[in-house]
C-alpha cells in the first residue's frame, strides 16, 4: 500500500474531492473508534517533533559540559599532569584533580537532575491544558485531543480554532485563515472548498487546503484530514519554526556574566601564577596554585542554581493553579511593571447572563429574544458566552414554534464588521435575514426602526434616541447588542456582507457581565507590587468605565480605537503612557499598542482569552491566558491560569521576583567573595615567603562553599524586595563586586598579620625566618589553617549578610534548608584540621587562643560588611 503521506500538495488540492475521499477511505459518518486506532497505529500520533525533546544523551552532555565545567576539566587535566605525572613518586598527589572532578560531577549531576525534573514538570503541566478539535467519529461530532486526530478524519472548523492538521476543505462559508505562522503575512486569506486548482503553485496559495498551525479568523468549514504530525507543511519547516525559546534579558545576563567571570578568572589566574613564580621561584608550584585560584573563581553551580530556581518556581506556581508553558517566562514574570488586560472574561466573570431583551421603546420583548435566539442557534462561526446566554434564555422563555425554522445561509462574524447574520425560513416559506452585533455597526446597516408598534425611517433624531437608550444601559454596566432583521430578502445563490443593508432595527439585548470577585483585590495587590494596570478592550466606553469603576481602576484617561487610528508611532508612545483605558480596539491595534509599550521600556504582561487577544498575547513579554480560552489564545500564552481567581497573578509575579533574587544572591555574593579572595592572594603573594594557602586547600574550600550554595534556591526573600519589578543589570554586578570584594580583603590582611605574627609563631616556636625547615613547615601549616578557617567562615556567613539589606539573623532570617546546609559546611571545614583529612590537606590544628582571635575577626568583618552594605543601599537604592 502506498504511504498516503507521499501524496504531494498539488494532487491534494487538484484531485476531485471524491477521489480524495476514496484515497483516504473517508466515510460520511467518519472513522469508527476502531478504524481511527488502526490508522493511528500505522501513521502515528498527530504531533510535531520540534527538536526540543532532546535525547537523554544530549541532556547529559549539556549538563556536564557547560563553559564552567569545560574550564574545570582543563584545570583538572593540568592539575593531574603537574601533581601526578611530572613529579617524583614520593611527591605524587591525586587529591587536587579528584576534588576538581568532584566539583564537575556535583555541578553536572545537580544540573542534570533539575533539567530532567524541569522537562518532566513542563510535560505534566502541559498535559493539564488540552487543545481539542471538533472531529466526527461514529457519525457525530465531538471534541477530541488534537494528538488523536488521524488522516481521513472529518474536521469541523469555526472562528477561534487552531487548524489541527493539513485539511482538504469539503464545505466552507466565508472562511478566512491567518497563515502568519507559515508565511508571515499579517492579513487573513480566504479559503474556499468549491475552487478548482489547475496550476502548480506555493502550497499555502491553494485555496482549498488549510494547514496545521494556522488559525480560523472568521467563517466556518468542514474538511478531511490529509496529513498529520511531522508530515504536515508545518512539520516540514519545524526546524525554522522551532519552539526553542528566544533568550530573555535574564538569559542574556546570565550568559554575559558567565563569560565575564571566565575572562576575569583567566586574567587573575595568570597574574597569580606570574607573581608567585617571580617571587617564589617555583614555577610549577605557582602554576598549580594558579589553577586552584582559577577553580575557586569558577561559579560552576550557576547553571544548577538557575535551573533549580526555575523548576521550583514552576512547581510552586502549579500548586497555586498556574500552568507555566514557557519555563523561561517565569523570569520575565518577575520583571513585569505593567499588566495590560482585556475586560471580558478576564476582569469580568465568564458567566454572562442575558439580563434584558428590549424593544426600541425599552420594554421586554419576546419578539426580540426570538430573533436573537434564531441568530445564535443557527450560527456556526465564533460561538461565545453571549450566544450561550441567548440560547439558554430562549429555551426557557420561548414556545416550541421558535424551533420550527430552517437555516438557509449565514454571514459569519468578523472583527471588522463586529456583527453576525443568519438567514432562516419558517414553515410558511417566509425568510428572514437576522443580524445582531455592536450597536454602532447595527445602526450602520439599519435604515428603519420598529418604534411604537410600527416601522419608521431611522432618522438622525431616532438614532440619537437609540443611542441614549443604550447609553443608560451601559452606565449600569450592561453590555448591549443590537438586533435587526429584513423579511424575505432577495433570493440569491449565496448571501454576503452586501446583503446587510436596509434593515429594520427591532431592539436590544442587555447582558450582565459582573467583575470577578477577586479583581479589585488583585489590582490593588498588583499596585502594591509596582505593577500598573491598563485595560485594552473591544467593548465600548460606557461599559468599560462602569467595570473599571467597580474594580478600582481610574476612568478619567480613556481613548478609543477610532481616536488612535492613523497615529504615528511617536504619537502612540505619548498616548499609551497618558491613558489607562483603551476601548473599541481591534486585534491589530491591541498588538500594536503592546509593542509600543515595550519599545518605551515597559516589561508588559498581557492577559486575554479571546481570538482577538492572540496577537497581543504574542506581542507581550509574558502572555497570560485562562484554561477556558479559545485554542489560539492558549497556544499564544506563556502562562495559563487554571483558576478564575486573579490573585494568582500576584503569586506568579512574586515567584518570578523570588527566582531572580535568589539567583542574584549567588552571583553577587560569589563574585564579590572571589574577587576579594584573589585580591588578598595577590597581596599575600607579594609579601609572604610561602603560599597563603595550598592549592589542595583552596580546592577543598571551594568544594564546601559550592555545596553550601546549593541551598540558595530554597532561601527566603524579604517581602520588601518583592515590591519592585526586577530587571537584569550587569553593571550592578560589577559595582557590587568592586564594593564588597575589597571589604573582605581588609580582614584577610588582618588574618595574615595575626596568623603570621601571633598564631603561627606561638605554635611553631618563633618567627618564620628564625625557624628551621621542620618548624617552618609547622608555621606554614598553622598559617594556612588560620586563613582556611577564616575564609570558610567569612565566605559562608557573608551570604547571610548579603542576602538582605536588613540586619541578618535579627530583622531577616534565612530558610531552614539554607541555614542547615551552610552550618554543616562550616562544621565540616572547621573540624577538618583535627582529622586525617586535615593531614592529607596539609592543615594543622589551631590553639584555643587562635579561635578567639579568628572569631573576633569574623565578627568584625561581618560588622564592616553591614556598614558598607548600608552605605551601598543608601547610595544605589538596592542591594541585589
Amino acid at each position: 500500500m502506498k504511504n498516503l503521506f507521499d501524496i504531494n500538495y498539488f494532487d491534494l488540492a487538484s484531485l476531485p474531492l471524491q477521489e480524495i475521499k476514496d484515497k483516504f477511505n473517508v466515510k460520511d459518518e467518519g472513522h469508527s473508534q476502531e478504524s481511527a486506532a488502526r490508522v493511528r497505529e500505522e501513521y502515528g500520533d498527530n504531533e510535531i517533533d520540534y527538536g526540543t525533546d532532546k535525547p537523554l544523551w544530549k541532556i547529559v552532555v549539556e549538563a556536564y559540559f557547560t563553559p564552567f565545567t569545560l574550564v574545570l576539566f582543563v584545570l583538572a587535566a593540568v592539575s593531574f599532569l603537574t601533581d601526578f605525572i611530572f613529579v617524583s613518586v614520593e611527591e605524587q598527589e591525586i587529591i587536587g584533580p579528584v576534588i576538581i572532578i568532584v566539583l564537575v560531577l556535583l555541578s553536572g549531576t545537580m544540573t542534570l537532575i533539575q533539567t530532567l525534573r524541569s522537562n518532566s514538570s513542563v510535560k505534566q503541566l502541559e498535559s493539564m491544558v488540552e487543545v481539542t478539535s471538533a472531529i466526527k467519529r461514529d457519525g457525530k461530532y465531538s471534541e477530541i485531543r488534537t494528538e488523536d486526530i488521524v488522516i481521513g478524519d472529518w474536521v469541523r472548523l469555526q472562528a477561534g480554532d487552531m487548524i489541527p492538521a493539513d485539511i482538504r476543505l469539503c464545505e466552507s462559508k466565508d472562511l478566512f485563515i491567518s497563515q502568519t505562522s507559515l508565511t508571515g503575512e499579517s492579513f487573513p486569506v480566504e479559503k474556499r472548498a468549491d475552487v478548482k486548482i489547475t496550476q502548480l503553485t506555493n502550497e499555502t496559495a491553494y485555496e482549498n487546503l488549510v494547514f496545521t498551525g494556522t488559525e480560523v479568523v472568521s467563517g466556518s468549514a468542514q474538511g478531511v484530514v490529509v496529513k498529520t504530525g511531522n508530515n504536515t507543511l508545518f512539520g516540514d519547516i519545524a526546524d525554522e519554526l522551532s519552539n526553542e525559546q528566544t533568550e530573555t534579558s535574564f538569559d542574556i545576563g546570565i550568559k554575559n556574566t558567565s563569560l565575564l567571570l571566565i575572562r576575569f578568572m583567566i586574567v587573575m589566574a595568570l597574574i597569580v601564577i606570574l607573581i608567585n613564580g617571580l617571587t617564589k621561584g617555583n614555577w610549577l608550584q605557582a602554576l598549580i596554585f594558579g589553577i586552584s585560584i582559577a577553580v575557586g573563581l569558577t561559579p560552576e553551580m550557576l547553571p544548577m542554581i538557575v535551573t533549580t530556581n526555575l523548576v521550583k518556581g514552576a512547581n510552586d506556581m502549579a500548586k497555586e493553579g498556574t500552568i507555566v508553558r514557557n519555563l523561561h517566562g517565569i523570569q520575565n514574570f518577575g520583571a513585569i511593571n505593567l499588566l495590560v488586560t482585556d475586560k471580558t472574561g478576564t476582569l469580568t466573570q465568564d458567566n454572562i447572563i442575558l439580563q434584558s431583551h428590549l424593544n426600541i421603546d425599552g420594554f421586554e420583548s419576546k419578539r426580540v429574544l426570538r430573533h436573537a435566539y434564531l441568530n445564535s442557534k443557527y450560527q456556526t462561526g465564533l460561538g461565545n458566552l453571549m450566544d450561550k446566554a441567548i440560547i439558554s434564555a430562549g429555551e426557557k422563555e420561548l414556545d416550541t414554534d421558535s424551533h420550527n425554522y430552517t437555516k438557509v445561509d449565514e454571514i459569519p462574524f468578523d472583527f471588522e464588521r463586529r456583527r453576525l447574520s443568519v438567514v432562516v425560513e419558517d414553515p410558511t416559506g417566509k425568510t428572514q435575514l437576522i443580524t445582531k452585533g455592536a450597536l454602532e455597526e447595527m445602526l450602520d446597516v439599519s435604515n428603519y426602526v420598529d418604534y411604537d408598534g410600527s416601522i419608521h425611517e431611522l432618522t438622525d433624531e431616532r438614532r440619537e434616541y437609540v443611542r441614549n437608550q443604550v447609553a443608560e444601559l451601559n452606565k449600569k454596566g450592561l453590555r448591549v447588542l443590537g438586533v435587526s432583521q429584513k423579511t424575505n430578502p432577495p433570493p440569491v445563490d449565496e448571501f454576503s456582507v452586501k446583503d446587510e443593508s436596509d434593515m429594520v432595527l427591532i431592539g436590544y439585548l442587555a447582558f450582565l457581565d459582573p467583575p470577578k470577585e477577586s479583581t479589585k483585590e488583585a489590582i490593588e495587590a498588583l499596585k502594591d507590587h509596582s505593577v500598573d494596570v491598563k485595560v485594552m478592550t473591544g467593548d465600548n466606553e460606557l461599559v468599560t468605565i462602569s467595570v473599571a469603576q467597580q474594580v478600582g481602576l481610574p476612568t478619567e484617561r480613556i481613548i478609543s480605537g477610532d481616536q488612535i487610528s492613523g497615529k504615528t508611532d511617536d504619537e502612540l508612545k505619548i498616548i499609551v503612557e497618558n491613558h489607562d483605558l483603551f476601548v473599541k480596539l481591534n486585534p491589530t491595534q491591541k498588538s500594536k499598542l503592546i509593542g509600543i509599550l515595550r519599545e518605551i521600556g515597559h516589561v508588559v504582561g498581557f492577559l486575554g482569552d479571546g481570538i482577538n487577544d492572540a496577537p497581543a498575547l504574542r506581542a507581550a513579554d509574558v502572555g497570560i491566558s485562562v484554561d477556558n480560552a479559545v485554542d489560539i489564545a492558549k497556544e499564544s500564552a506563556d502562562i495559563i491560569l487554571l483558576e478564575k481567581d486573579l490573585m494568582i497573578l500576584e503569586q506568579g509575579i512574586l515567584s518570578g521576583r523570588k527566582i531572580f533574587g535568589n539567583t542574584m544572591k549567588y552571583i553577587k555574593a560569589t563574585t564579590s567573595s572571589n574577587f576579594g579572595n584573589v585580591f588578598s592572594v595577590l597581596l599575600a603573594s607579594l609579601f609572604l615567603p610561602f603560599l597563603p594557602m595550598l592549592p589542595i586547600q583552596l580546592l577543598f574550600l571551594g568544594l564546601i562553599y559550592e555545596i553550601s550554595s546549593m541551598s540558595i534556591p530554597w532561601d527566603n526573600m524579604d517581602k520588601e524586595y518583592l515590591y519592585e519589578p526586577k530587571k537584569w543589570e550587569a553593571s550592578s554586578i560589577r559595582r557590587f563586586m568592586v564594593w564588597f570584594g575589597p571589604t573582605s580583603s581588609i580582614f584577610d590582611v588582618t588574618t595574615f598579620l595575626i596568623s603570621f605574627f601571633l598564631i603561627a609563631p606561638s605554635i611553631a616556636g618563633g618567627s618564620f625566618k628564625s625557624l628551621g625547615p621542620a618548624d617552618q613547615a609547622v608555621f606554614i601549616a598553622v598559617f594556612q589553617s588560620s586563613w582556611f578557617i577564616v575564609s570558610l567562615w567569612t565566605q559562608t556567613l557573608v551570604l547571610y549578610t548579603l542576602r538582605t539589606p536588613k540586619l541578618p539573623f535579627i530583622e531577616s532570617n534565612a530558610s531552614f534548608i539554607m541555614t542547615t546546609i551552610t552550618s554543616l559546611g562550616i562544621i565540616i571545614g572547621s573540624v577538618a584540621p583535627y582529622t586525617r583529612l586535615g593531614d592529607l590537606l596539609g592543615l594543622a590544628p589551631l590553639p584555643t587562643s587562635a579561635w578567639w582571635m579568628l572569631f573576633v575577626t569574623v565578627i568584625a568583618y561581618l560588622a564592616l560588611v553591614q556598614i558598607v552594605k548600608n552605605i551601598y543601599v543608601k547610595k544605589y537604592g538596592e542591594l541585589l
Side-chain angles (χ1 to χ4, degrees), residues 78 135 196 323 337 549 688 717 757:
V78 174
I135 304 298
K196 188 173 183 179
I323 303 304
N337 72 333
Q549 287 173 338
L688 289 176
M717 290 299 305
F757 291 107

Side-chain angles (χ1 to χ4, degrees), residues 342-344 386 418 437-441 467 469-482 509-511 535-548 558-563 581-585:
D342 182 34
K343 178 183 68 65
T344 308
M386 286 189 287
R418 300 208 304 161
L439 180 72
E440 288 300 326
E441 282 67 19
R467 289 190 180 101
Q469 286 273 84
V470 172
E472 290 302 315
L473 295 171
N474 288 158
K475 288 177 182 178
K476 298 175 183 178
L478 297 172
R479 300 177 63 191
V480 179
L481 297 181
L509 305 167
F511 299 88
V535 175
M536 293 186 183
T537 179
D539 215 334
N540 68 50
E541 179 176 341
L542 292 174
V543 174
T544 304
I545 287 176
S546 175
V547 172
I558 186 169
I559 193 169
S560 72
D562 293 338
Q563 292 172 288
L581 305 181
F582 300 79
V583 298
K584 300 195 75 172
L585 297 180

Side-chain angles (χ1 to χ4, degrees), residues 604-647:
V604 184
F606 182 83
L607 174 61
D609 65 347
I611 179 177
N612 57 325
D613 297 320
L617 285 165
R618 291 183 180 131
D621 291 285
V622 181
I624 310 161
S625 193
V626 290
D627 188 33
N628 59 352
V630 298
D631 292 347
I632 296 174
K634 287 191 286 189
E635 288 292 327
S636 303
D638 302 301
I639 307 289
I640 295 179
L641 309 181
L642 295 181
E643 305 292 338
K644 298 176 182 178
D645 188 351
L646 291 185
M647 290 300 292

Side-chain angles (χ1 to χ4, degrees), residues 167-323:
I167 296 169
R168 168 70 183 264
L169 296 176
C170 302
E171 302 174 13
S172 64
K173 176 64 178 176
D174 297 321
L175 183 67
F176 283 84
I177 302 291
S178 171
Q179 298 188 144
T180 304
S181 60
L182 292 179
T183 65
E185 297 175 10
S186 57
F187 295 102
V189 295
E190 186 173 11
K191 297 283 185 173
R192 298 183 296 152
D194 60 348
V195 65
K196 188 173 183 179
I197 303 297
T198 57
Q199 291 186 334
L200 184 66
T201 184
N202 183 280
E203 292 93 339
T204 57
Y206 294 131
E207 291 181 66
N208 57 0
L209 296 180
V210 292
F211 303 96
T212 301
T214 59
E215 308 158 6
V216 181
V217 176
S218 62
S220 58
Q222 289 189 84
V224 294
V225 174
V226 292
K227 287 183 183 288
T228 58
N230 282 341
N231 296 284
T232 62
L233 184 62
F234 195 99
D236 289 341
I237 57 176
D239 289 339
E240 299 174 23
L241 297 171
S242 173
N243 257 6
E244 292 284 356
Q245 298 299 324
T246 55
E247 289 184 321
T248 66
S249 60
F250 188 91
D251 297 322
I252 295 170
I254 290 286
K255 184 171 70 175
N256 291 342
T257 299
S258 301
L259 294 175
L260 171 68
L261 294 177
I262 290 174
R263 289 195 297 267
F264 174 71
M265 175 267 294
I266 292 172
V267 171
M268 297 307 293
L270 290 174
I271 293 174
V272 168
I273 292 170
L274 185 62
I275 290 177
N276 278 280
L278 291 173
T279 57
K280 311 296 184 299
N282 188 334
W283 286 96
L284 180 59
Q285 188 183 53
L287 176 61
I288 297 171
F289 188 66
I291 290 171
S292 303
I293 289 293
V295 173
L297 287 172
T298 305
E300 56 273 359
M301 291 299 166
L302 182 57
M304 183 279 296
I305 284 176
V306 171
T307 305
T308 302
N309 266 319
L310 292 176
V311 175
K312 185 175 181 297
N315 289 335
D316 288 346
M317 290 172 67
K319 293 174 184 175
E320 299 291 336
T322 303
I323 303 304

Side-chain angles (χ1 to χ4, degrees), residues 33 36 40 46 130-137 140-150 153-155 164 631:
Q33 296 299 330
R40 188 176 180 186
N46 182 34
E130 286 193 349
V131 176
T132 61
S133 299
I135 304 298
K136 184 189 280 188
R137 295 272 173 89
K140 63 180 181 179
Y141 277 103
S142 59
E143 292 291 324
I144 73 167
R145 297 189 318 146
T146 56
E147 294 89 342
D148 298 335
I149 294 172
V150 299
D153 264 330
W154 281 98
V155 183
D631 292 347

